[in-house]
Coordinates of all heavy atoms in Angstrom, one line a residue:
M1 N -43.2 4.1 -7.4 CA -43.0 3.1 -6.1 C -41.7 3.3 -5.5 O -41.7 3.1 -4.3 CB -43.2 1.6 -6.8 CG -43.3 0.6 -5.7 SD -45.0 0.6 -4.9 CE -44.8 -0.7 -3.8
A2 N -40.6 3.5 -6.2 CA -39.3 3.5 -5.6 C -39.2 4.7 -4.6 O -38.5 4.7 -3.6 CB -38.2 3.7 -6.6
D3 N -40.1 5.8 -4.8 CA -40.0 7.0 -4.1 C -41.1 7.0 -3.1 O -41.5 8.0 -2.5 CB -39.9 8.3 -4.9 CG -38.6 8.5 -5.4 OD1 -37.5 8.3 -4.7 OD2 -38.5 8.7 -6.7
E4 N -41.8 5.9 -2.9 CA -43.1 5.9 -2.0 C -42.4 6.1 -0.5 O -41.4 5.6 -0.1 CB -43.7 4.5 -2.0 CG -45.0 4.4 -1.3 CD -45.7 3.2 -1.5 OE1 -45.3 2.3 -2.3 OE2 -46.8 3.1 -1.0
V5 N -43.3 6.9 0.1 CA -43.0 7.3 1.5 C -43.9 6.7 2.5 O -45.2 6.8 2.1 CB -42.9 8.8 1.7 CG1 -42.7 9.2 3.2 CG2 -41.8 9.5 0.8
F6 N -43.5 6.0 3.5 CA -44.4 5.4 4.4 C -44.5 6.1 5.8 O -43.5 6.6 6.3 CB -43.8 4.0 4.7 CG -43.6 3.2 3.4 CD1 -42.4 3.1 2.8 CD2 -44.7 2.4 2.8 CE1 -42.3 2.3 1.5 CE2 -44.5 1.6 1.7 CZ -43.4 1.7 1.0
Q7 N -45.7 6.1 6.2 CA -45.9 6.7 7.6 C -45.8 5.6 8.6 O -46.1 4.4 8.4 CB -47.3 7.3 7.6 CG -47.5 8.4 6.6 CD -48.9 9.0 6.6 OE1 -49.6 9.0 7.6 NE2 -49.4 9.6 5.5
P8 N -45.6 6.1 9.9 CA -45.7 5.2 11.0 C -47.2 4.5 11.1 O -48.1 5.1 10.9 CB -45.5 6.0 12.3 CG -44.7 7.3 11.8 CD -45.4 7.4 10.3
G9 N -47.0 3.1 11.5 CA -48.3 2.4 11.5 C -48.6 1.7 10.3 O -49.4 0.8 10.2
T10 N -47.9 2.1 9.2 CA -48.1 1.3 7.8 C -47.3 0.0 7.9 O -46.1 0.1 8.4 CB -47.5 2.2 6.8 OG1 -48.1 3.5 6.8 CG2 -47.8 1.6 5.4
P11 N -47.9 -1.0 7.5 CA -47.1 -2.3 7.4 C -45.9 -2.2 6.6 O -45.8 -1.6 5.5 CB -48.1 -3.3 6.9 CG -49.5 -2.7 7.1 CD -49.2 -1.2 7.1
V12 N -44.7 -2.8 7.2 CA -43.5 -2.7 6.3 C -43.7 -3.7 5.2 O -43.9 -4.8 5.3 CB -42.3 -3.2 7.1 CG1 -41.0 -3.1 6.4 CG2 -42.2 -2.2 8.4
P13 N -43.5 -3.1 3.9 CA -43.8 -4.0 2.7 C -42.6 -5.0 2.4 O -42.9 -6.0 1.9 CB -43.8 -2.9 1.4 CG -43.1 -1.8 1.9 CD -43.3 -1.8 3.5
E14 N -41.4 -4.6 2.8 CA -40.3 -5.6 2.5 C -39.1 -5.1 3.4 O -38.9 -4.0 3.7 CB -39.9 -5.5 1.1 CG -39.5 -4.2 0.4 CD -39.4 -4.3 -1.0 OE1 -38.7 -5.3 -1.5 OE2 -39.9 -3.5 -1.8
A15 N -38.3 -6.1 3.7 CA -37.0 -5.9 4.5 C -36.2 -5.1 3.7 O -36.0 -5.3 2.5 CB -36.5 -7.2 4.9
G16 N -35.4 -4.2 4.3 CA -34.4 -3.6 3.5 C -33.9 -2.2 4.2 O -34.2 -2.0 5.4
V17 N -33.2 -1.5 3.5 CA -32.7 -0.3 4.0 C -33.5 0.9 3.8 O -33.9 1.1 2.6 CB -31.2 0.0 3.3 CG1 -30.6 1.4 3.9 CG2 -30.2 -1.1 3.6
Y18 N -33.9 1.5 4.8 CA -34.8 2.7 4.6 C -34.2 4.0 5.1 O -33.4 4.0 6.1 CB -36.1 2.4 5.5 CG -37.0 1.4 4.9 CD1 -36.7 0.1 5.1 CD2 -38.1 1.7 4.3 CE1 -37.6 -1.0 4.6 CE2 -38.9 0.8 3.7 CZ -38.7 -0.5 3.9 OH -39.6 -1.4 3.3
Q19 N -34.5 5.0 4.4 CA -34.1 6.4 4.7 C -35.1 6.9 5.7 O -36.3 6.8 5.5 CB -34.0 7.3 3.5 CG -33.4 8.5 3.8 CD -33.1 9.3 2.5 OE1 -34.1 9.7 1.9 NE2 -32.0 9.6 2.1
V20 N -34.7 7.3 7.0 CA -35.6 7.9 7.9 C -35.6 9.4 7.8 O -34.6 10.0 7.8 CB -35.2 7.4 9.3 CG1 -36.2 7.9 10.3 CG2 -35.0 5.9 9.3
L21 N -36.7 9.9 7.7 CA -37.0 11.4 7.4 C -37.7 12.0 8.6 O -38.8 11.8 8.9 CB -37.8 11.7 6.2 CG -37.2 11.1 4.9 CD1 -38.3 10.9 4.0 CD2 -36.1 11.8 4.4
H22 N -36.9 12.5 9.5 CA -37.5 13.2 10.7 C -38.1 14.6 10.6 O -37.8 15.2 9.5 CB -36.4 13.3 11.9 CG -35.9 11.9 12.3 ND1 -36.5 11.3 13.3 CD2 -34.8 11.2 12.0 CE1 -35.9 10.1 13.6 NE2 -34.9 10.1 12.7
Y23 N -38.9 15.0 11.5 CA -39.4 16.3 11.4 C -38.6 17.3 12.2 O -38.8 17.3 13.5 CB -40.9 16.4 11.8 CG -41.6 17.6 11.6 CD1 -41.9 18.1 10.3 CD2 -42.0 18.3 12.8 CE1 -42.6 19.3 10.1 CE2 -42.7 19.5 12.6 CZ -42.9 20.0 11.3 OH -43.6 21.2 11.1
R24 N -37.7 18.0 11.6 CA -37.1 19.2 12.2 C -35.9 18.8 13.1 O -35.0 19.6 13.2 CB -38.0 20.1 12.8 CG -38.9 20.8 11.9 CD -39.7 21.9 12.6 NE -40.4 22.7 11.5 CZ -41.3 23.6 11.7 NH1 -41.5 24.0 13.1 NH2 -41.7 24.4 10.8
H25 N -36.0 17.8 13.9 CA -35.0 17.5 15.0 C -33.7 16.8 14.6 O -32.7 16.9 15.3 CB -35.6 16.9 16.2 CG -35.8 15.4 16.0 ND1 -35.0 14.4 16.3 CD2 -37.0 14.9 15.5 CE1 -35.5 13.3 16.0 NE2 -36.7 13.6 15.5
R26 N -33.8 16.2 13.4 CA -32.5 15.4 13.1 C -32.4 15.3 11.6 O -33.5 15.2 10.8 CB -32.7 13.9 13.7 CG -31.6 13.1 13.5 CD -31.8 11.7 14.3 NE -30.7 10.7 14.0 CZ -30.7 9.6 14.4 NH1 -31.6 9.2 15.2 NH2 -29.7 8.8 14.1
L27 N -31.3 15.2 11.0 CA -31.1 15.0 9.6 C -31.4 13.5 9.3 O -31.5 12.7 10.1 CB -29.6 15.2 9.3 CG -29.1 16.6 9.4 CD1 -27.6 16.7 9.0 CD2 -29.9 17.6 8.4
Y28 N -31.7 13.2 8.0 CA -32.1 12.0 7.7 C -31.0 11.0 7.8 O -29.8 11.4 7.8 CB -32.7 11.9 6.3 CG -31.6 12.2 5.1 CD1 -30.7 11.2 4.7 CD2 -31.6 13.5 4.6 CE1 -29.8 11.5 3.7 CE2 -30.7 13.7 3.6 CZ -29.8 12.9 3.1 OH -28.9 13.1 2.2
H29 N -31.3 9.7 8.0 CA -30.3 8.7 8.2 C -30.9 7.3 7.8 O -32.1 7.3 7.4 CB -29.8 8.6 9.6 CG -31.0 8.2 10.6 ND1 -31.1 7.0 11.1 CD2 -31.9 9.1 11.2 CE1 -32.2 7.0 11.9 NE2 -32.8 8.3 11.9
E30 N -30.1 6.4 7.7 CA -30.6 5.1 7.1 C -30.6 4.0 8.2 O -29.7 4.0 9.1 CB -29.6 4.6 6.0 CG -29.8 5.6 4.8 CD -29.0 5.0 3.6 OE1 -28.2 4.1 3.6 OE2 -29.1 5.6 2.5
V31 N -31.6 3.2 8.2 CA -31.7 2.1 9.1 C -32.1 0.8 8.3 O -32.7 0.9 7.1 CB -32.8 2.3 10.1 CG1 -32.3 3.4 11.1 CG2 -34.1 2.6 9.5
T32 N -31.9 -0.4 8.9 CA -32.4 -1.7 8.2 C -33.6 -2.0 9.0 O -33.7 -2.0 10.3 CB -31.4 -2.7 8.4 OG1 -30.2 -2.3 7.7 CG2 -31.8 -4.0 7.7
I33 N -34.7 -2.2 8.2 CA -35.9 -2.6 8.9 C -36.4 -4.0 8.4 O -36.3 -4.3 7.2 CB -37.1 -1.6 8.5 CG1 -36.7 -0.2 9.1 CG2 -38.4 -2.1 9.1 CD1 -37.6 0.9 8.7
R34 N -36.8 -4.9 9.3 CA -37.2 -6.2 8.9 C -38.7 -6.2 8.5 O -39.4 -5.2 9.0 CB -36.9 -7.1 10.0 CG -37.4 -7.0 11.2 CD -37.2 -8.1 12.2 NE -35.7 -8.2 12.5 CZ -35.0 -9.3 12.6 NH1 -35.6 -10.5 12.4 NH2 -33.7 -9.3 12.8
R35 N -39.1 -7.2 7.8 CA -40.5 -7.1 7.2 C -41.7 -7.2 8.2 O -42.7 -6.6 8.0 CB -40.6 -8.1 6.1 CG -41.9 -7.9 5.3 CD -41.6 -8.4 3.9 NE -41.5 -9.9 3.8 CZ -42.6 -10.6 3.4 NH1 -43.7 -10.1 3.1 NH2 -42.4 -11.9 3.4
A36 N -41.3 -7.9 9.2 CA -42.4 -8.1 10.2 C -42.8 -6.8 11.0 O -42.0 -6.1 11.4 CB -42.0 -9.1 11.3
G37 N -44.2 -6.5 11.1 CA -44.6 -5.4 11.8 C -44.8 -4.1 11.0 O -44.8 -4.2 9.8
S38 N -44.9 -3.0 11.6 CA -45.2 -1.8 11.0 C -44.1 -0.7 11.3 O -43.2 -1.0 12.2 CB -46.5 -1.2 11.5 OG -47.6 -2.1 11.5
F39 N -44.1 0.3 10.5 CA -43.2 1.4 10.8 C -43.5 2.0 12.1 O -44.5 2.3 12.5 CB -43.3 2.4 9.6 CG -42.7 1.9 8.3 CD1 -43.6 1.5 7.4 CD2 -41.4 1.8 8.1 CE1 -43.1 1.0 6.2 CE2 -40.8 1.3 6.8 CZ -41.8 0.9 5.9
P40 N -42.4 2.3 12.9 CA -42.6 2.8 14.2 C -42.7 4.4 14.2 O -42.3 5.1 13.3 CB -41.2 2.4 14.9 CG -40.2 2.5 13.8 CD -40.9 2.0 12.6
T41 N -43.1 4.9 15.3 CA -43.1 6.3 15.6 C -41.7 6.7 16.2 O -41.0 5.8 16.7 CB -44.1 6.8 16.5 OG1 -44.1 6.1 17.7 CG2 -45.6 6.6 15.9
C42 N -41.3 7.9 16.0 CA -40.1 8.4 16.5 C -40.3 9.0 17.9 O -41.3 9.5 18.3 CB -39.6 9.5 15.7 SG -38.2 10.4 16.2
S43 N -39.3 8.7 18.8 CA -39.4 9.2 20.2 C -39.4 10.7 20.3 O -39.8 11.2 21.3 CB -38.3 8.6 21.0 OG -36.9 9.1 20.6
E44 N -39.0 11.4 19.3 CA -39.0 12.8 19.3 C -40.1 13.5 18.4 O -40.8 14.4 18.8 CB -37.6 13.4 19.0 CG -36.6 13.0 20.0 CD -35.5 14.1 20.2 OE1 -35.7 15.3 19.8 OE2 -34.4 13.7 20.5
C45 N -40.1 13.1 17.2 CA -41.1 13.7 16.2 C -42.3 12.9 16.0 O -43.2 13.3 15.2 CB -40.4 14.1 14.9 SG -39.7 12.9 13.9
G46 N -42.4 11.8 16.8 CA -43.7 11.0 16.8 C -44.1 10.5 15.5 O -43.3 9.9 14.7
S47 N -45.3 10.7 15.1 CA -45.9 10.3 13.9 C -45.5 11.1 12.6 O -46.0 10.9 11.6 CB -47.4 10.1 13.9 OG -48.0 11.3 14.3
N48 N -44.7 12.2 12.9 CA -44.3 13.1 11.8 C -43.1 12.5 11.1 O -42.6 13.0 10.0 CB -43.9 14.4 12.3 CG -45.1 15.2 12.7 OD1 -46.2 15.2 11.8 ND2 -45.1 15.9 13.7
V49 N -42.5 11.4 11.6 CA -41.4 10.7 11.0 C -41.9 10.0 9.7 O -43.1 9.5 9.6 CB -40.7 9.8 11.9 CG1 -41.5 8.5 12.2 CG2 -39.3 9.4 11.4
R50 N -41.0 9.8 8.6 CA -41.4 9.2 7.4 C -40.2 8.2 7.1 O -39.1 8.4 7.4 CB -41.6 10.1 6.3 CG -42.8 11.0 6.5 CD -44.1 10.3 6.4 NE -45.2 11.1 6.4 CZ -45.9 11.5 7.7 NH1 -45.3 11.0 8.8 NH2 -46.9 12.2 7.8
F51 N -40.6 7.2 6.3 CA -39.6 6.2 5.8 C -39.7 6.0 4.4 O -40.7 5.9 3.8 CB -39.9 4.8 6.6 CG -39.8 4.9 8.1 CD1 -40.9 5.3 8.8 CD2 -38.7 4.6 8.8 CE1 -40.9 5.4 10.2 CE2 -38.6 4.8 10.0 CZ -39.8 5.1 10.9
R52 N -38.5 5.9 3.8 CA -38.4 5.7 2.3 C -37.5 4.6 1.9 O -36.3 4.6 2.5 CB -38.0 7.1 1.7 CG -38.1 7.2 0.2 CD -37.9 8.6 -0.4 NE -36.6 8.9 -0.3 CZ -35.6 8.6 -1.0 NH1 -35.9 7.8 -2.1 NH2 -34.4 9.0 -0.8
L53 N -38.0 3.7 1.3 CA -37.1 2.5 0.9 C -36.0 2.9 0.0 O -36.2 3.5 -1.1 CB -38.0 1.4 0.1 CG -37.2 0.1 -0.3 CD1 -36.8 -0.5 1.0 CD2 -38.2 -0.8 -1.1
V54 N -34.8 2.6 0.4 CA -33.6 2.9 -0.3 C -33.3 1.7 -1.3 O -33.1 1.9 -2.4 CB -32.4 3.2 0.5 CG1 -31.1 3.4 -0.3 CG2 -32.6 4.5 1.5
R55 N -33.2 0.5 -0.6 CA -33.1 -0.7 -1.4 C -33.6 -1.8 -0.5 O -33.3 -1.9 0.7 CB -31.7 -0.9 -2.0 CG -30.7 -1.4 -0.9 CD -29.3 -1.5 -1.5 NE -28.4 -1.5 -0.4 CZ -27.9 -0.5 0.1 NH1 -28.2 0.8 -0.3 NH2 -27.1 -0.6 1.2
S56 N -34.3 -2.8 -1.2 CA -34.7 -3.9 -0.5 C -33.5 -4.8 -0.2 O -32.5 -4.9 -1.0 CB -35.8 -4.6 -1.2 OG -35.3 -5.2 -2.5
A57 N -33.5 -5.4 0.9 CA -32.4 -6.3 1.3 C -33.0 -7.5 2.2 O -33.1 -7.3 3.4 CB -31.3 -5.6 2.1
P58 N -33.3 -8.5 1.7 CA -34.0 -9.7 2.5 C -33.0 -10.2 3.5 O -31.7 -10.2 3.3 CB -34.1 -10.8 1.5 CG -34.3 -10.2 0.2 CD -33.5 -8.9 0.1
L59 N -33.5 -10.3 4.8 CA -32.6 -10.8 5.9 C -32.2 -12.3 5.6 O -32.8 -13.1 4.9 CB -33.5 -10.8 7.1 CG -34.0 -9.5 7.6 CD1 -35.0 -9.6 8.7 CD2 -32.9 -8.6 7.8
L60 N -30.9 -12.5 6.1 CA -30.3 -13.9 5.9 C -31.3 -15.0 6.4 O -31.4 -15.9 5.8 CB -29.0 -14.0 6.6 CG -28.2 -15.1 6.4 CD1 -27.7 -15.3 5.1 CD2 -27.1 -15.2 7.4
E61 N -31.9 -14.8 7.5 CA -32.8 -15.8 8.0 C -34.0 -16.1 7.2 O -34.7 -17.0 7.4 CB -33.1 -15.5 9.5 CG -34.0 -14.2 9.6 CD -33.3 -13.3 10.5 OE1 -32.1 -13.0 10.4 OE2 -34.0 -12.7 11.4
D62 N -34.3 -15.1 6.3 CA -35.4 -15.3 5.3 C -35.1 -15.9 4.0 O -35.9 -16.3 3.3 CB -36.1 -13.9 5.1 CG -36.8 -13.3 6.4 OD1 -37.1 -14.1 7.2 OD2 -37.1 -12.2 6.3
D63 N -33.8 -16.2 3.9 CA -33.4 -16.8 2.7 C -33.5 -18.2 2.7 O -33.2 -18.9 3.7 CB -31.8 -16.4 2.4 CG -31.2 -16.9 1.1 OD1 -31.0 -18.1 0.9 OD2 -31.2 -16.0 0.1
R64 N -34.0 -18.8 1.5 CA -34.4 -20.2 1.6 C -33.1 -21.1 1.8 O -33.2 -22.2 2.1 CB -35.0 -20.6 0.2 CG -34.1 -20.4 -1.1 CD -35.0 -20.6 -2.3 NE -34.1 -20.6 -3.4 CZ -33.6 -21.6 -4.0 NH1 -33.6 -22.9 -3.5 NH2 -32.8 -21.5 -5.1
N65 N -31.9 -20.6 1.6 CA -30.6 -21.5 1.8 C -30.1 -21.3 3.1 O -29.1 -22.0 3.5 CB -29.7 -21.2 0.7 CG -30.1 -21.8 -0.7 OD1 -30.1 -21.1 -1.6 ND2 -30.6 -23.1 -0.7
F66 N -30.6 -20.4 3.9 CA -29.9 -20.0 5.1 C -30.8 -19.9 6.3 O -30.6 -20.1 7.5 CB -29.1 -18.7 5.0 CG -28.0 -18.7 4.1 CD1 -28.2 -18.2 2.8 CD2 -26.8 -19.3 4.4 CE1 -27.2 -18.2 2.0 CE2 -25.8 -19.5 3.4 CZ -26.0 -18.8 2.2
G67 N -32.1 -19.7 6.0 CA -33.1 -19.5 7.2 C -33.7 -20.6 7.8 O -33.3 -21.7 7.6
A68 N -34.8 -20.3 8.5 CA -35.5 -21.4 9.2 C -36.1 -22.5 8.2 O -36.3 -23.6 8.8 CB -36.7 -20.8 10.1
A69 N -36.3 -22.1 7.0 CA -36.9 -23.0 6.1 C -35.9 -24.0 5.5 O -36.3 -24.9 4.8 CB -37.6 -22.3 5.0
R70 N -34.6 -23.8 5.8 CA -33.6 -24.7 5.4 C -33.8 -26.1 5.7 O -34.1 -26.5 6.8 CB -32.3 -24.3 6.1 CG -31.1 -24.9 5.4 CD -29.8 -24.3 6.1 NE -28.6 -24.9 5.6 CZ -27.4 -24.4 5.9 NH1 -27.3 -23.5 6.8 NH2 -26.3 -25.0 5.4
G71 N -33.7 -26.9 4.6 CA -33.8 -28.4 4.9 C -35.2 -28.9 4.9 O -35.5 -30.0 5.0
R72 N -36.3 -27.9 4.8 CA -37.6 -28.3 5.0 C -38.1 -28.7 3.6 O -38.6 -27.8 2.9 CB -38.5 -27.1 5.6 CG -39.8 -27.5 6.0 CD -40.7 -26.3 6.1 NE -40.2 -25.4 7.2 CZ -40.6 -24.2 7.3 NH1 -41.4 -23.6 6.4 NH2 -40.1 -23.4 8.3
G73 N -37.9 -30.0 3.2 CA -38.4 -30.3 1.9 C -37.6 -29.9 0.8 O -38.1 -30.0 -0.4
A74 N -36.4 -29.3 1.0 CA -35.6 -29.0 -0.1 C -35.1 -30.2 -0.8 O -34.8 -31.3 -0.3 CB -34.4 -28.2 0.6
T75 N -34.9 -29.9 -2.2 CA -34.5 -31.0 -3.0 C -33.0 -30.8 -3.4 O -32.7 -29.7 -3.7 CB -35.3 -31.2 -4.3 OG1 -35.4 -29.8 -4.9 CG2 -36.7 -31.7 -3.9
Ligands
ZN101 ZN1 -37.8 12.0 14.8

């Protein structure tokens, strides 16, 4: 699971840091992707780009003590 590789169009399973693996034109690099939506295509290698989860990192706004849910029925 840790080495699962995602293709463009696949729903993002969790927010976090992903390694971006391009096809031939660029070395891999890391980006932070939020959970909403799907993995995007690359402007250069299109649907040949791949994404691999490096580590999950929930966004601050998704945290129960800091996000939109703050104060909503919290005890
Ligand atoms: Zn690319």
Side-chain angles (χ1 to χ4, degrees):
M1 191 73 180
D3 284 314
E4 191 171 358
V5 173
F6 301 96
Q7 299 182 22
T10 305
V12 178
E14 54 189 314
V17 178
Y18 286 81
Q19 192 175 59
V20 186
L21 308 157
H22 293 275
Y23 185 69
R24 292 189 170 173
H25 71 94
R26 184 174 173 183
L27 292 175
Y28 66 81
H29 60 102
E30 294 184 350
V31 294
T32 302
I33 301 178
R34 58 180 65 224
R35 195 148 72 98
S38 304
F39 291 100
T41 55
C42 173
S43 64
E44 292 213 27
C45 62
S47 58
N48 288 315
V49 69
R50 295 292 181 270
F51 300 86
R52 193 168 66 80
L53 181 64
V54 176
R55 79 183 160 274
S56 63
L59 298 174
L60 185 67
E61 64 241 43
D62 290 340
D63 187 278
R64 67 187 178 92
N65 287 128
F66 299 100
R70 185 178 187 176
R72 193 196 299 160
T75 51

